[in-house]
């Protein structure tokens, strides 16, 4: 064999493993729940691989060994019979031990996962919609309750409790870098506890097929230091920024006059629709339409001009606007930091 | 060879079943919003007015996708605030066969778009024209005026009436066969 073949093999595997890193990977854990699960994945994979190799060796050995001298079929060979019995019993015993062991491991891993949120200070209600996420920060003071969409800010290093439900079909919340997935079921409340060890942005994805735009139903968990998180929460509670330029003022008027107002809410204006994402601080978010487009003036215009081209089947209708009206509305929304 | 044909022919026949109704998510015509005729009366000098060329009413009223979108919008835009789930409240009931302003798609479209005296608001410019057509189609289905093969088949909440595809057919209701 070529001397360099093993090196090439190792290099290739290392390259492939690089694909496991990133902001959305169960094999690149960034929180205690995901670490527990990643450890479980590797342990299961390793053990099952070892068992598979052993079984393959056990199968290959008799094929390669020279057949033993034939004994007389009528003579009772107590030794051989005993050996067969021992081998079968050992194999059955080992199988039972391994299965029970793995079951116990996943049981204890589940206990660890359940303990993460036992003293969570922050509760966030996540409601799945076709095809976006409604995010509501609960607070004892009603005026501190915050509703936003698609991006979930959390304080890093603190456990957070997510209450998951849905209004239309079953969705599933999955941020692989932080935890396992859990379904959002209409009329039911599921509880998922997450914790991010370090500040960072982790991508999540709907993991239960939920219709035409299931693939474009992304979410982002943005973990920040506590002070930054509190400042963000306070900023988001503010009503929308008043439009500064004439164009943006026209945009606000148009927004309130045209169909936008039937579904969307902008705090501080009469727009109070609750069936579509809250736009009070839309320009402070990093993406549009649940992770479909990055936030920019061009993308905002593209999304409003033809949502059915960007995300066919989404519930955002094509609204009849001329170029000036579109520009004005985009200018207004762009200022809602 | 004959065997292959015997297998392929039924397969091709079955593939036809995969054809489903196209979801027209961008039905807006160049005509835009608010340019549809509003027949408050059918009496006109000089014979009947020719029907509009894009004929929204016909293309929307027997289309399952548009009917179910209408049902969703009926809830979203809070029509139930006055009409309840068709049973009526502050506004008239929609699930009976009584029409104050006519039962045609065009009349219901005009009612939603321009409003009516005594409380029905005008949704002109507030709802894209195609969604008004969807709502009109759904309102007609509430009283059994939509084909049961296309009308919505599921109610998510408690309702005053059976799901729209099980409403008695308005054309034969109360008449002996």
């Amino acid at each position: 064999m070529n001397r360099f073949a093993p090196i090439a093999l190792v290099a290739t595997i290392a390259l492939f493993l690089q694909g496991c890193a990133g902001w959305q990977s169960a094999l690149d854990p960034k929180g205690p729940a995901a670490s527990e699960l990643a450890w479980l994945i590797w342990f299961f994979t390793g053990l099952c691989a070892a068992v598979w190799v052993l079984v393959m060796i056990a199968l290959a050995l008799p094929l390669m060994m020279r057949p033993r001298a034939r004994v007389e079929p009528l003579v009772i060979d107590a030794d051989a019979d005993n050996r067969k019995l021992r081998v079968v019993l050992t194999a059955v015993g080992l199988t039972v031990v391994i299965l029970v062991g793995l079951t116990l491991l996943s049981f204890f891993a589940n206990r660890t996962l359940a303990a993460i949120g036992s003293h969570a200070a922050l509760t966030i209600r996540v409601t799945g919609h076709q095809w976006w996420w409604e995010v509501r920060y609960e607070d004892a003071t009603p005026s501190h309750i915050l509703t936003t969409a698609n991006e979930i800010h959390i304080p890093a290093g603190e456990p957070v409790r997510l209450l998951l439900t849905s209004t239309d079909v079953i969705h599933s919340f999955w941020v692989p870098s932080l935890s396992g997935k859990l379904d959002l079921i209409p009329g039911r409340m599921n509880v998922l506890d997450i914790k991010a060890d370090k500040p960072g942005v982790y991508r999540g994805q709907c993991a239960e097929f939920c219709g035409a735009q299931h693939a474009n139903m992304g979410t982002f968990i943005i973990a920040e230091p506590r002070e930054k998180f509190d400042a963000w929460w306070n900023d988001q509670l503010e009503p929308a920024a008043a439009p500064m330029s004439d164009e943006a003022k026209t945009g606000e008027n148009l927004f309130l006059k045209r169909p936008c107002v039937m579904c969307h809410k902008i705090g501080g204006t009469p727009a109070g629709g609750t069936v579509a994402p809250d736009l009070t601080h839309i320009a402070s978010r990093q993406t549009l339409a649940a992770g479909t487009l990055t936030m920019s003036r061009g993308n905002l215009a593209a999304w409003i001009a033809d949502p059915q081209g960007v995300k066919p089947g989404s519930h955002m209708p094509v609204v009849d606007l001329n170029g000036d009206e579109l520009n004005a509305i985009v200018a207004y929304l762009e200022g809602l930091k | 060879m004959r065997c292959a044909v015997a297998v392929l022919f039924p397969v091709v026949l079955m593939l036809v079943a995969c054809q489903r109704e196209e979801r027209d998510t961008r039905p807006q015509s160049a005509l835009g919003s608010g340019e549809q005729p509003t027949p408050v009366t059918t009496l006109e000098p000089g014979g009947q007015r020719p029907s509009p060329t894009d004929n929204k009413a016909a293309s929307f009223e027997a289309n399952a996708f548009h009917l179910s979108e209408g049902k969703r919008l009926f809830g979203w835009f809070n029509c139930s605030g006055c009409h309840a789930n068709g049973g009526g409240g502050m506004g008239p009931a929609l699930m009976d066969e009584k029409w104050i302003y006519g039962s045609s798609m065009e009349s219901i479209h005009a009612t939603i778009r321009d409003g009516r005296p005594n409380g029905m608001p005008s949704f002109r410019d507030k709802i894209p024209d195609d969604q008004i057509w969807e709502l009109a189609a759904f309102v007609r289905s509430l009283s059994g005026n939509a084909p049961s093969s296309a009308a919505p088949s599921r109610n998510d909440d408690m309702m005053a009436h059976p799901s729209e595809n099980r409403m008695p057919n308005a054309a034969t209701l109360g008449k002996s066969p």
Side-chain angles (χ1 to χ4, degrees):
Chain A
M1 210 195 332
N2 191 326
R3 204 147 49 90
F4 296 107
I7 302 173
L9 188 69
V10 169
T12 315
I13 292 175
L15 269 180
F16 273 114
L17 281 178
Q18 272 302 301
C20 300
W23 65 357
Q24 184 182 326
S25 169
L27 298 177
D28 186 17
K30 302 286 191 206
S35 308
E36 195 72 27
L37 291 172
W39 182 84
L40 214 57
I41 292 170
W42 286 121
F43 191 85
F44 267 64
T45 312
L47 190 66
C48 292
V51 169
W52 183 76
V53 168
L54 282 179
V55 170
M56 285 299 125
I57 291 175
L59 282 175
L61 273 183
L63 290 177
M64 299 205 274
M65 275 196 310
R66 229 163 17 143
R68 226 177 318 190
R70 228 188 178 154
V71 283
E72 203 55 43
L74 292 180
V75 176
I76 293 170
D77 182 354
D79 255 14
D81 284 353
N82 272 337
R83 196 164 52 237
K84 269 183 209 157
L85 190 68
R86 272 205 306 277
V87 167
V88 168
L89 280 183
T90 315
V92 169
L94 269 176
T95 309
V96 170
V97 167
I98 289 176
L99 286 182
V100 170
L102 289 182
T103 311
L104 279 177
L105 269 181
S106 30
F107 170 73
F108 283 110
N110 261 326
R111 276 175 62 100
T112 318
L113 296 195
I116 288 171
S118 53
H119 44 270
L122 180 63
T123 304
I124 304 173
R125 197 177 284 251
V126 178
T127 309
H129 296 274
Q130 282 177 323
W131 290 273
W132 60 283
W133 311 85
E134 183 185 339
V135 184
R136 197 173 109 125
Y137 290 76
E138 301 289 4
D139 197 281
T141 321
S143 62
H144 286 179
I145 294 175
L146 166 67
T147 305
T148 174
N150 298 331
E151 281 177 18
I152 308 174
H153 287 243
I154 58 170
E158 288 179 41
V160 176
R161 173 151 289 189
L162 301 181
L163 304 177
L164 308 174
T165 187
S166 165
T167 52
D168 34 43
V169 298
I170 300 179
H171 303 277
S172 187
F173 183 87
W174 192 25
V175 184
S177 305
L178 295 183
S179 89
K181 56 187 146 192
L182 195 63
D183 281 4
L184 295 83
I185 302 168
R188 240 189 98 99
M189 188 75 82
N190 276 342
V191 179
L192 179 70
D193 299 317
I194 57 167
K195 183 176 161 188
D197 288 330
K198 278 191 223 114
V201 178
Y202 311 107
R203 194 181 185 280
Q205 171 67 35
C206 179
E208 173 77 42
F209 180 70
C210 59
Q213 289 301 327
H214 163 64
N216 282 327
M217 187 169 166
T219 179
F220 293 89
I221 301 263
I222 299 166
E224 312 170 301
R226 185 77 206 190
E227 318 82 69
K228 233 179 133 189
F229 169 74
D230 285 337
W232 171 83
W233 190 335
N234 280 328
D235 283 350
Q236 295 282 312
L237 285 171
E238 293 292 317
M244 302 302 276
S245 66
D246 283 346
E247 193 183 30
K249 274 178 198 150
T250 318
E252 186 188 26
N253 268 329
L254 281 166
F255 188 96
L256 297 176
K257 244 169 52 183
R258 305 306 297 272
C260 323
V261 75
M262 293 296 287
C263 299
H264 291 287
K265 179 184 172 184
I266 293 187
T269 73
T274 53
V275 292
D278 188 303
L279 303 182
T280 310
H281 296 282
I282 185 182
S284 73
R285 303 207 275 265
Q286 297 175 2
T287 62
L288 272 170
T292 309
L293 299 170
T294 50
M295 178 66 66
S296 73
R297 186 176 175 126
N299 281 342
L300 253 177
W303 172 238
I304 298 168
D306 188 13
Q308 298 303 326
V310 175
K311 208 168 166 175
S314 88
H315 290 324
M316 172 114 163
V318 178
V319 173
D320 198 29
L321 296 168
N322 66 36
D324 288 341
E325 292 172 327
L326 178 66
N327 267 329
I329 290 184
V330 169
Y332 171 55
L333 292 178
E334 201 186 26
L336 301 179
K337 285 270 177 350
Chain B
M1 182 59 205
R2 197 171 294 170
C3 180
V5 171
V7 172
L8 277 178
F9 186 65
V11 168
V12 170
L13 269 186
M14 277 191 269
L15 275 178
V16 176
C18 300
Q19 171 66 35
R20 52 178 287 186
E21 187 183 85
E22 290 287 329
R23 293 188 170 193
D24 192 5
T25 56
R26 270 190 288 197
Q28 193 106 39
S29 71
L31 214 52
S33 173
E35 299 304 321
Q36 309 288 331
T38 50
V40 176
T41 169
T42 51
L43 296 171
E44 269 181 59
Q48 193 138 26
R49 185 192 295 233
S51 58
T53 44
D54 65 343
N55 208 354
K56 289 270 162 115
S59 64
F60 274 55
E61 71 184 339
N63 183 297
F65 175 64
H66 290 315
L67 280 162
S68 69
E69 287 291 287
K71 183 174 173 116
R72 179 173 60 76
L73 297 170
F74 190 89
W76 275 22
F77 296 156
N78 197 26
C79 306
S80 20
C82 299
H83 298 286
N85 287 313
M90 202 157 49
L94 302 175
M95 56 187 277
D96 56 11
E97 251 300 89
K98 298 197 181 79
W99 301 95
I100 305 173
Y101 298 105
S103 66
S104 71
M105 279 277 282
E106 287 84 356
S107 313
I108 302 170
H109 174 269
T111 301
I112 300 172
R113 193 185 69 190
D114 299 330
R116 296 289 186 191
N118 300 324
M120 178 71 191
S122 155
F123 289 92
R124 182 190 284 272
D125 286 346
K126 285 290 174 73
I127 303 181
D129 198 52
D130 289 317
Q131 293 193 339
I132 299 184
W133 285 111
E134 286 172 343
L135 280 163
F138 171 68
V139 166
R140 268 175 65 78
S141 80
L142 279 171
S143 48
N145 280 300
S148 64
S149 57
S153 60
R154 205 184 83 167
N155 287 328
D156 283 342
D157 308 294
M158 284 217 293
M159 283 285 184
H161 56 80
S163 61
E164 288 75 20
N165 68 340
R166 290 192 289 122
M167 292 297 281
N169 188 343
T172 55
L173 187 64
K175 299 183 189 112
S176 41

